[in-house]
Structure formats: structure tokens, C-alpha cells
């Protein structure tokens, strides 16, 4: 069975009825190439690390174009389609021909999934019944708050009552995973508790809390920090405690990113499974693993259990896949082995990384590790604990095999 993605195109801030106040794509300028694993060895910059990371797409595609592309993708698929996901750089709810698109895709009689919507484009609650009747089975829906005035002010939603009415109807009929970026003093505390209660009463499957980021080290790599001048941000520990407390108090699943998924124990749930850790390969060689500041202690512990005597080095950037060349420039080279492993998705060109990490005269070999070692909350929300553990077993086995292949 195959998964079909239907890309609507669209641009952040333009094809979503305007930026939300907290949107990570506000104030983004320029198209500087970061470099990444997809770049050619001799050339820094490709479509992914220049345009894709900024979601620098064109305007919404016409319905005819979307239909033609969908048909072309279907013709090259060898398996039957068992799931269709609607996505894009803009907000699907704002797509001008959204009702017609859903009806067209619904005729395929395959479950539909909207990868993300804020609901800002839903002005008529009746659209909910249209979606359900045409096979919508799952949606990721940004609520921000159950208070319509908070949505109006911070999401710039012109019809927040209608957006919430659509969410209300969908919660009672399909799998709804709500999401909110949490701003301290705005939609946390009592407002967040009321939002959790609102969603639980209506039957939402879960709520993903996303910690607001306002600095470069928190993940704003597009030259647009701060998003909100003077806005306080939860520390990682504060945020994790809030997620854990809410998950304990409500019956629906509540998880958070970057930390964590209390129901599963992830990220790095494998650290609570000594029998599974014993099944991982032994670390036989030495190599430095570079990662983000949040993941570093977890990875160090897992590798040490499997025999590693090398240091896992944390950069200031919290999230490993958002590491850039600037982060590597801040690394203490004296702590590095002669072989260095970078996160697979780090935004650094391999040749530039090798030059930066060899600036002390030691010619270090720089290689890429696996793309992921665990599942963040957005991924684990729809997974079982065993599925997350399988993913972690696969990721750590790949990392250890990389160390043993390239290490000294």
C-alpha cells in the first residue's frame, strides 16, 4: 500500500490569511544557502537548503494543476493508495477551491488526511460536514486557544467562532490531533487548561504543545529572531513539566515538542528499556557525535551503555536538525576525535563542516549520521510505544554502525 501526498503549493503569510503573530516564517528575508546532505560535494546550496527550508513556494496551484499532478503521481505508483495527505506551504483551509478539491479526492474512496491547517480559511461551519462526507479521516488542526478572542488577536483569524465550530464538528467524527504554540502569559496557564478541557469534551485524539521559539539557539535559523520582541519563552524543563502535568490530568493524549511524549516516554524511550539496549551493537571504535543541546545527554547515555568512551558534543543550538555552520564554528575543537559524525539533517555543507572542524590543523573526517534517532511529539502522537521503540532501535543501530565503520 502507498501514501499519496497532494501538494497545493502556497506561501507562508500570503496564502494563509496573513502571518500568525508567533509564526516562525515572519520577517524572513533572503535566500542564503545553508548547505545540507542533498548538496553536491563541490557546491554549497540546493533547492532544499535554499528555498525549501524557508517554504519559499509559489502561490497556490490551480485545481487543474493539482489534479494533473495527482494523476501523474498515481500512474507511477506500483501499489494501491491507502492514504492521501493534503499539504502545502500555505494553509489548505485558505485554498480557493478547497471544497472542490476534497470532493475530487474523495471520489477515490481513500481516507484523506490534512497534514496541517489553522482553520483560518473556514468561514462557514458547514464545510465540516462536507469534509466528513468526502472521506476526511484525520486532521492536524492548530487551535492556539479555545477562546475565540485569543485566536482573533494572536492568529489574526477573521472568523474564529466559525474555525472553532468546524473543529468542534470534526472532533466528534474523525481523528483530530490539535496543536498549539504555547506563549507564556498568553495562552498557557488557565487558558491552556480550558483549551485542553474543550478538546477533551469534544473527543479530540490528542493535543500537541509546541514550545515557542524566539532566539537563534532555540531554532530560528532564518535570520528573523526575535519573532516577538520581549516575549518570554519556557525553558525546556518548564515546558516538559507542563506537558507531563497536563497529560496526567487529562484523558486525551497530550505531548510536547521538544520534550516530550509522557505516554510513551519519548524522546529516547529506549533508555527505559535495558533489554532492548542490550540488543544494540557494541561501540568498538572512537568518534565524536555532534548534536543539539537537548538530545546530547540522552545520546551520550545510550552510547556509553553500549561501550562508547568518546564524548557526545553539544552545540548551543537546541535542535540537532537545525544545526548550521555557525554552530560548528563555536565547537571546542580540542574535544573532538579525528572522526566526527554530524546529524543527518543538519544544515551544513559537508565540505564546509570538514573545514570548520579541522581548523586547528587536525585533518578530521566528517560523516553524516542517521536522519533521526527518535520520534518527536508530532511524529509519536499517532504511534504506539513499540513503534517508537522500533524507530529508536533502528536509529541507534545505524548510528553505532556508522561509528564502527568510520571511527578509529
Amino acid at each position: 500500500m502507498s501514501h499519496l501526498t497532494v501538494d497545493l503549493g502556497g506561501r507562508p503569510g500570503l496564502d494563509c490569511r496573513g502571518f500568525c503573530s508567533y509564526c516562525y516564517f515572519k520577517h524572513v528575508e533572503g535566500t542564503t544557502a545553508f548547505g545540507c546532505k542533498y548538496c553536491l560535494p563541490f557546491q554549497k546550496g540546493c533547492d532544499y537548503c535554499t528555498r525549501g527550508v524557508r517554504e519559499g513556494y509559489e502561490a497556490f496551484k490551480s485545481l487543474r494543476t493539482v489534479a494533473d499532478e495527482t494523476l501523474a503521481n498515481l500512474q507511477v505508483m506500483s501499489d494501491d493508495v491507502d492514504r492521501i495527505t493534503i499539504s502545502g506551504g500555505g494553509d489548505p483551509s485558505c485554498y480557493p477551491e478547497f471544497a472542490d478539491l476534497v470532493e475530487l479526492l474523495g471520489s477515490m474512496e481513500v481516507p484523506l488526511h490534512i497534514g496541517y491547517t489553522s482553520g483560518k480559511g473556514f468561514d462557514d461551519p458547514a464545510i465540516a460536514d462536507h469534509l466528513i462526507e468526502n472521506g476526511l479521516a484525520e486532521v492536524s488542526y492548530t487551535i492556539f486557544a479555545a477562546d475565540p478572542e485569543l485566536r482573533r488577536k494572536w492568529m489574526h483569524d477573521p472568523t474564529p467562532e466559525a474555525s472553532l465550530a468546524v473543529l468542534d464538528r470534526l472532533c466528534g467524527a474523525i481523528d483530530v490531533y490539535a496543536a498549539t504554540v504555547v506563549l507564556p502569559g498568553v495562552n498557557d496557564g488557565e487558558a491552556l487548561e480550558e483549551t485542553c478541557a474543550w478538546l477533551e469534551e469534544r473527543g479530540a485524539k490528542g493535543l500537541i504543545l509546541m514550545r515557542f521559539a524566539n532566539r537563534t539557539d532555540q531554532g530560528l535559523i532564518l535570520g528573523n529572531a526575535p519573532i516577538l520582541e520581549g516575549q518570554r519563552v519556557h525553558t525546556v524543563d518548564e515546558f516538559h513539566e507542563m506537558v507531563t502535568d497536563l497529560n496526567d490530568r487529562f484523558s486525551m493524549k497530550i505531548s510536547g515538542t521538544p520534550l516530550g511524549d509522557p505516554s510513551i516516554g519519548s524522546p529516547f524511550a529506549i533508555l527505559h528499556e535495558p533489554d532492548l539496549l542490550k540488543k544494540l551493537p557494541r561501540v568498538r571504535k572512537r568518534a565524536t557525535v555532534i548534536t543539539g543541546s537537548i538530545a546530547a545527554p540522552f545520546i551520550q547515555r545510550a552510547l556509553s551503555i553500549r561501550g562508547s568512551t568518546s564524548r557526545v558534543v553539544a552545540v548551543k543550538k537546541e535542535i540537532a536538525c537545525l544545526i548550521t555552520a555557525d554552530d560548528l564554528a563555536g565547537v571546542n575543537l580540542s574535544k573532538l576525535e579525528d572522526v566526527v559524525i554530524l546529524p543527518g539533517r543538519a544544515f551544513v555543507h559537508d565540505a564546509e563542516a570538514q573545514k570548520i572542524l579541522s581548523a586547528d590543523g587536525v585533518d578530521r573526517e566528517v560523516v553524516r549520521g542517521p536522519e533521526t534517532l527518535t520520534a518527536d511529539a508530532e511524529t509519536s502522537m499517532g504511534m504506539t510505544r513499540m513503534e517508537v521503540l522500533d524507530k529508536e532501535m533502528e536509529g541507534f543501530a545505524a548510528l553505532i554502525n556508522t561509528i564502527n565503520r568510520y571511527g578509529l
Side-chain angles (χ1 to χ4, degrees):
M1 305 297 279
S2 298
H3 179 190
L4 174 67
T5 298
V6 176
D7 181 11
L8 306 182
R11 301 153 295 179
L14 295 173
D15 296 310
C16 56
R17 286 191 160 178
F19 288 114
C20 296
S21 298
Y22 52 83
C23 182
Y24 299 146
F25 293 99
K26 284 175 59 179
H27 316 308
V28 173
E29 298 179 358
T31 55
T32 304
F34 286 106
C36 66
K37 71 173 188 175
Y38 300 112
C39 294
L40 296 172
F42 50 83
Q43 180 177 321
K44 176 183 175 180
C46 64
D47 185 68
Y48 177 73
C49 67
T50 303
R51 183 183 68 90
V53 65
R54 293 170 174 81
E55 295 199 3
Y57 306 108
E58 299 296 326
F60 275 137
K61 303 172 185 177
S62 68
L63 181 59
R64 176 62 180 270
T65 298
V66 173
D68 288 345
E69 290 179 352
T70 300
L71 179 59
N73 289 333
L74 286 171
Q75 289 175 338
V76 298
M77 287 184 167
S78 56
D79 296 329
D80 292 335
V81 176
D82 65 343
R83 177 185 174 98
I84 298 174
T85 295
I86 302 170
S87 66
D91 189 323
S93 70
C94 299
Y95 185 66
E97 300 169 282
F98 187 63
D100 292 336
L101 171 70
V102 169
E103 190 171 338
L104 176 65
L105 296 176
S107 67
M108 298 173 60
E109 298 184 350
V110 175
L112 304 182
H113 170 215
I114 301 176
Y116 153 81
T117 184
S118 70
K120 284 164 65 173
F122 294 145
D123 296 332
D124 183 355
I127 187 66
D129 290 320
H130 181 74
L131 296 175
I132 296 165
E133 290 165 3
N134 284 279
L136 184 65
E138 182 178 318
V139 63
S140 298
Y141 202 113
T142 291
I143 183 172
F144 188 72
D147 180 347
E149 291 310 310
L150 285 177
R151 276 187 64 98
R152 193 189 311 275
K153 178 179 179 179
W154 291 90
M155 295 183 69
H156 304 145
D157 185 348
T159 56
E161 293 86 359
S163 304
L164 289 169
V166 171
L167 178 56
D168 185 343
R169 176 72 180 92
L170 294 178
C171 281
I174 66 169
D175 290 345
V176 172
Y177 296 100
T180 182
V181 175
V182 183
L183 278 66
V186 177
N187 65 335
D188 64 345
E190 184 177 343
L192 182 54
E193 292 175 13
E194 291 174 355
T195 298
C196 291
W198 190 95
L199 288 166
E200 183 167 273
E201 289 170 5
R202 285 154 180 80
K205 292 293 184 181
L207 172 63
I208 303 169
L209 305 180
M210 293 176 281
R211 188 182 65 132
F212 177 61
N214 213 27
R215 303 194 309 259
T216 301
D217 64 295
Q218 294 166 342
L220 298 183
I221 65 174
L222 302 178
N224 59 336
I227 301 296
L228 292 172
E229 191 73 45
Q231 173 62 48
R232 190 174 81 81
V233 177
H234 289 110
T235 68
V236 175
D237 288 340
E238 283 176 337
F239 190 78
H240 187 221
E241 289 174 7
M242 178 180 67
V243 172
T244 302
D245 175 63
L246 289 171
N247 186 66
D248 287 342
R249 291 165 54 194
F250 290 90
S251 60
M252 71 173 176
K253 181 173 180 176
I254 297 176
S255 60
T257 181
L259 290 176
D261 190 329
S263 299
I264 290 177
S266 58
F268 306 107
I270 196 172
L271 290 173
H272 307 293
E273 298 289 339
D275 290 341
L276 288 181
L277 284 169
K278 291 177 182 178
K279 294 181 180 180
L280 289 171
R282 294 286 298 178
V283 178
R284 302 191 308 273
K285 295 185 178 180
R286 297 183 62 85
T288 297
V289 173
I290 289 181
T291 189
S293 61
I294 294 176
F298 297 101
I299 298 174
Q300 181 74 75
R301 182 180 167 197
L303 293 180
S304 296
I305 289 172
R306 297 312 298 151
S308 174
T309 56
S310 297
R311 186 194 305 265
V312 172
V313 172
V315 299
K316 290 184 178 180
K317 185 68 57 59
E318 292 179 344
I319 309 300
C321 63
L322 295 175
I323 288 174
T324 68
D326 290 342
D327 297 308
L328 297 187
V331 170
N332 183 346
L333 301 183
S334 66
K335 295 182 178 181
L336 303 184
E337 304 279 0
D338 290 351
V339 175
V340 179
I341 298 174
L342 296 181
R345 295 191 296 183
F347 281 104
V348 188
H349 189 244
D350 290 351
E352 184 177 19
Q354 198 274 336
K355 181 178 180 180
I356 292 171
L357 298 177
S358 301
D360 59 351
V362 178
D363 186 17
R364 293 185 173 88
E365 182 177 8
V366 178
V367 296
R368 295 265 176 178
E371 289 201 357
T372 58
L373 295 178
T374 185
D376 65 17
E378 294 179 77
T379 304
S380 67
M381 177 59 80
M383 301 172 70
T384 65
R385 189 167 192 273
M386 187 52 63
E387 287 172 336
V388 170
L389 288 170
D390 286 344
K391 185 178 182 68
E392 293 183 351
M393 285 286 289
E394 180 182 354
F396 273 103
L399 176 60
I400 293 172
N401 288 333
T402 301
I403 294 172
N404 289 339
R405 178 180 179 184
Y406 294 99
L408 300 175

